[in-house]
Structures are given as C-alpha cells and as structure tokens.
Amino acid sequence: MPSIAAARSSPMPTVNGDVSSPHKRRLRSNSASFDDPVCNTPAKSCSPLKSKSPRRSVNDSPNRSRSNVSFRLFVVETGVSLLKLKNSPRKKLLDSILDKPIWNPTDSEQLSVVKEALHVSTAPAMIVCREDEQKRIVEFCKQCVEQEKAGSLYICGCPGTGKSLSMENVKRCLAGWAKETGGQLPDILNINCTSFSNTSEIFNKVKIYMILIRIHSYVSNIMLKVSFILQIIERSKPNKKVNGRSTALKQLQQMYSQKQQSADTKMMLVIADELDYLITKDRVVLHDLFMLTTLPFSKVILIGIANAIDLADRFLPKLQSLNCKPAVVSFRAYSMDQIITILKQRLMALPYTVFQPQALELCARKVAAASGDMRKALGICRGAIEMLETELRESTCTSTLTSMVRVDHMAIALSRAYKSPIVDTIQSLPQHQQIVLCSVVKLFRKGKKDTTIGELNKFYIDICKSTLIPPVGIMELSCMCRVLGDQGILKLGQSRDDKLRRVTLQVDEADISFALQGIRFFRNCLQ
C-alpha cells in the first residue's frame, strides 16, 4: 500500500533544528518550557557545558529583582499562555505586571495608596472605554454653542457605566475647545435631582444661577455682590405657584420668549443628573424642563442623565409629537475586556504589582456577566485586598507570592458581593422554575416593571422551544409562579383569570444573572 508506506517514510519532525523521534511524546510538565515565551529561549549551537538554565529568562540579569523571576515561574506553573492572549487587554495587563516588583501589603502607606486608587470617588487621570460616547456629547454641545441654539440630550445607561464620570471629562474638553478657538464657554450648572424635596425646585435653582451669573458679570464691588446674593436667597425660599406652575418657571419662560431679555444672557449648559427623580404622576415638571429648550429665544442646553433607557419614550410623549424629542446617547454595560482595561489603567500609576492577572480576570468576568457595573468591580477588588490583609494577620508565612492578591482572595470577595440567600435559593430551584426567572429577567430588560402570567408564558415557551425543552402548560406555570412568590422571588397580583395576574420581580436582576451564569444555557439566554 503506497499511501501507508509514504506516510511511514515521512521525515521526522525537527525541534530547533534537531531531529526528534515521533514516538517520543512531550511530557505535560515540559509543555510550559515550549509554549511560554517568558521562560523559553531559542536553542543555540553551543556545547553542553555552556547550556543555559531553563529557569533563567532572556531578559534576566544579575541586577534583576528576584521577585520578578519568582513571579515568572509562577506564571509558568499556573499555565498562563501569552501566545494565546496575543494583543488582548489581558496580555497587556500581564506584561505590565511582570515589569513591576510585588508590593508589600504590610506597609500601611502602600496599602492606603492602593485602596485610594481603587476607590469609586477617585477620578482616574484618563477615562477609557467611553471615547465614542464622550465625543458625541462634546460635538452636540459644540454645535449648540456655535449656532447659539438651544437643545436637549438624554444620557442613559445602567448604574456604574461611567455616565456622570464622562460628563466631567466633557466639561474639560469644552473648556479646552473654547480656549483654543477663542469661543465663548457656556455657563455650566450641575444639578443632582435627588437633592430636591420638591421637584419644581429645579426651576428655582436655574433662575438663581442665572441671576448670580449676572451679578458676577456686572457688579464689581464684593460687598454689593454679597448683599445681592443674600437678597436672592431670601426671596427664593417661598416657592409660590401661579396656576399650578412655579413662579420661577414662569419667569424663565417669559425671559426666553422675549428677544430683548435673552439678548444679554450667555448660553447655559444645564446637567441634570438622576433625572428620573423628577418623574411625577402628571410628568409636568419633566415636560416643562425639556420644553425650556424649545422656546423661541432659549439659550439652554439641557443634558439629562438617568438609568432608564426609554425614559423619553415613556414619560415625554408630548415632546415627540412637538418634534422636540431629545437626542439620546446610550452607555452600554462594560464588557470583560473593558473592565480589565479600566482596572489596568487605575493600577498603572502604582510602582508595584498588587493583583495576580488571573484574579483581575476573574473579577472582570464575573462582574461583566452579572451587571457590567464598574463601581461593583472596584468594590470587589478592595474587598479582595481586605481578604489578603486578614490572611496575613492570621498567618506567619511571608512568602513573596502570598503578598499578591490571588484568585482565592478574589473568589471570596466575589461571593461576599454577590452571594446571598436569594442566590442559593435560585441555584437550588428546579430547571423550569429557573427558566421562568430567566424569562422574567429578559422581559423586564425592555423597561417593564411588571407583566402578566399570560405574557410571561409566551417568553417561557420561546426559551423552551429554542433549547428543545418541552414546556409546561399555563396552569403549571401559574403554580410555579405561586411557588416563587412564596419564596419571595416574585410577587403575584389578584385576578380571577390566572393569565391576567400581574407578576413583579422582588429581587435584583443581578442576583438572578449571577446565580444562573454558571450554566451555559442560561448564560446564553441572559446575554
């Protein structure tokens, strides 16, 4: 058989120019020395007496830190393959870690610096992974200022996706743009809507800010400025209403409806954070706020920030009918690679290595699968450092490798952040009840807060059909919803017809996602 003979007579494979037998199999323990470029050097034609130790790296020198060598050996032993990572954020993270000495967690100064770098309130030097969204916001503001035209923009996204943080960078970009072009920077008013006891107070705050700007521009005497400001504060305390509308709103509407009164004012950028706190039953305040940008001589640039994705569609239908619906910029949840990039950017300024790369990857993977909340990821990293502190206090071992935050520290911090009795309950449920919860999460992601059993049944059947799982009937589904209600996961309303009973989710969607993400079927459904 010529084909078999040809196959057997094929030349032997070579490794670095040397002939190796095809019958000899490479041991698993030796695989790291072939696959890992960190600890492997190209073979050279030299005598056996001058052979180089495999424990030495290409970049090793007598002055090189021993801790780096130990960590490189740790990378080989744990099976990290840099060839597989290529140019991903994970490889860049590993490269940056290999070039730094390992930190000393017993040093109180180092410990405080690391915790401060990972604190939510610490603004990073550069905001990454949100360049496109920031560019759209800046271009919108530039266009309004250049054309001296009012406008409104709505920024939405899940909590912890960088909405408020990006606005700080947008303000810096606008200031730089005005300085370079010689243009006029708009007056900027930041408002957190959670600080109002009455939603209509927002108009009073806008009016006071405009008057203060005028006083600052036209009055040079400091004492006179102070007296004017005290008078304004005193007059603004009673919030009178005329025909159900605040007097401050009436004054703003009057000013922006007359050319002479608005001619002396600059463009004003109003950034209203937590905008959904202004939602009332009649939605009048929210509607009137956006309508300020539609007045004939208005100079207000309104940027509203909230978590609800469809706030403009649900609560401002009149704006759409008047063709003044705000532009929308959506901030999507962070992916695993984006979370790794942000963590790397925060840790880059530190002159030492704090985390094992696998630990940071575990944190990023779990947070991205659950919610994509960057604030949650930073809190978990700080929690992992506390786990290391506790371990060092209780142990006498001072090995170099134990000084780093390991995967087991991160796993404990993750379990404390997400693990709860609800998560344990969800994981112990039967498969069909887990499918019901998966259907509820997918249904409520469209902006709904409740649904009916009949509508839930449609989503449940679709998921079962997509996985070839036989669905149960509507009566069995209703019974499962009652069981989930008894466990405090769902809340059922009253109705004579089971199909019309209202279903409300009583637990956080992130708990359901975290509990079911370990099963590939549910992980694919929840993506």
Side-chain angles (χ1 to χ4, degrees), residues 76-274:
V76 175
E77 291 170 2
T78 51
V80 177
S81 178
L82 297 182
L83 290 175
K84 294 180 181 179
L85 296 177
K86 297 183 180 180
N87 294 324
S88 66
R90 284 169 281 176
K91 181 183 182 302
K92 295 178 182 178
L93 174 65
L94 187 57
D95 290 341
S96 64
I97 287 176
L98 292 175
D99 294 334
K100 294 180 180 180
I102 297 174
W103 76 317
N104 180 15
T106 59
D107 187 342
S108 59
E109 185 177 351
Q110 289 189 18
L111 192 63
S112 62
V113 169
V114 172
K115 286 188 174 181
E116 184 179 356
L118 294 173
H119 201 276
V120 177
S121 62
T122 303
M126 181 178 62
I127 302 173
V128 294
C129 303
R130 285 292 179 247
E131 292 82 2
D132 294 339
E133 292 84 353
Q134 294 175 26
K135 183 178 178 182
R136 290 177 59 188
I137 299 170
V138 171
E139 290 300 324
F140 169 80
C141 295
K142 285 181 182 179
Q143 185 179 3
C144 292
V145 173
E146 290 173 345
Q147 299 177 1
E148 292 190 358
K149 182 181 178 182
S152 59
L153 177 71
Y154 176 61
I155 299 175
C156 60
C158 297
T161 52
K163 302 185 294 296
S164 302
L165 190 61
S166 295
M167 287 309 302
E168 297 299 321
N169 195 42
V170 166
K171 289 188 287 185
R172 288 194 293 266
C173 291
L174 288 175
W177 167 75
K179 188 176 181 180
E180 290 177 3
T181 60
Q184 194 176 43
L185 181 68
D187 297 323
I188 300 176
L189 172 60
N190 289 288
I191 301 174
N192 192 317
C193 299
T194 59
S195 61
F196 299 135
S197 57
N198 187 356
T199 54
S200 60
E201 290 178 9
I202 187 170
F203 303 114
N204 208 30
K205 191 161 187 175
V206 174
K207 184 196 74 171
I208 292 174
Y209 182 77
M210 293 180 63
I211 297 175
L212 292 176
I213 291 295
R214 287 189 177 186
I215 292 174
H216 182 72
S217 302
Y218 295 108
V219 180
S220 58
N221 190 302
I222 297 178
M223 295 304 297
L224 195 57
K225 283 183 180 180
V226 172
S227 66
F228 276 138
I229 292 171
L230 291 175
Q231 291 177 24
I232 292 168
I233 294 174
E234 189 65 29
R235 291 178 183 177
S236 64
K237 284 182 179 178
N239 192 17
K240 298 179 181 179
K241 290 190 176 182
V242 180
N243 296 329
R245 303 293 177 91
S246 65
T247 55
L249 174 61
K250 288 290 185 181
Q251 291 172 1
L252 290 172
Q253 291 173 340
Q254 183 180 4
M255 183 182 66
Y256 288 132
S257 298
Q258 298 178 9
K259 186 174 183 180
Q260 292 181 349
Q261 293 191 27
S262 63
D264 298 334
T265 60
K266 290 171 58 178
M267 297 294 294
M268 182 169 64
L269 174 60
V270 179
I271 302 172
D273 202 355
E274 306 293 349

Side-chain angles (χ1 to χ4, degrees), residues 30-79:
N30 297 332
S31 61
S33 62
F34 285 95
D35 295 338
D36 202 322
V38 175
C39 299
N40 186 32
T41 57
K44 295 180 182 180
S45 58
C46 57
S47 62
L49 297 176
K50 296 181 179 180
S51 61
K52 202 168 186 179
S53 171
R55 296 169 80 69
R56 285 199 169 269
S57 172
V58 178
N59 299 323
D60 269 350
S61 66
N63 298 326
R64 190 160 183 83
S65 171
R66 184 63 186 168
S67 61
N68 284 354
V69 176
S70 301
F71 182 67
R72 288 172 183 271
L73 292 175
F74 161 77
V75 171
V76 175
E77 291 170 2
T78 51

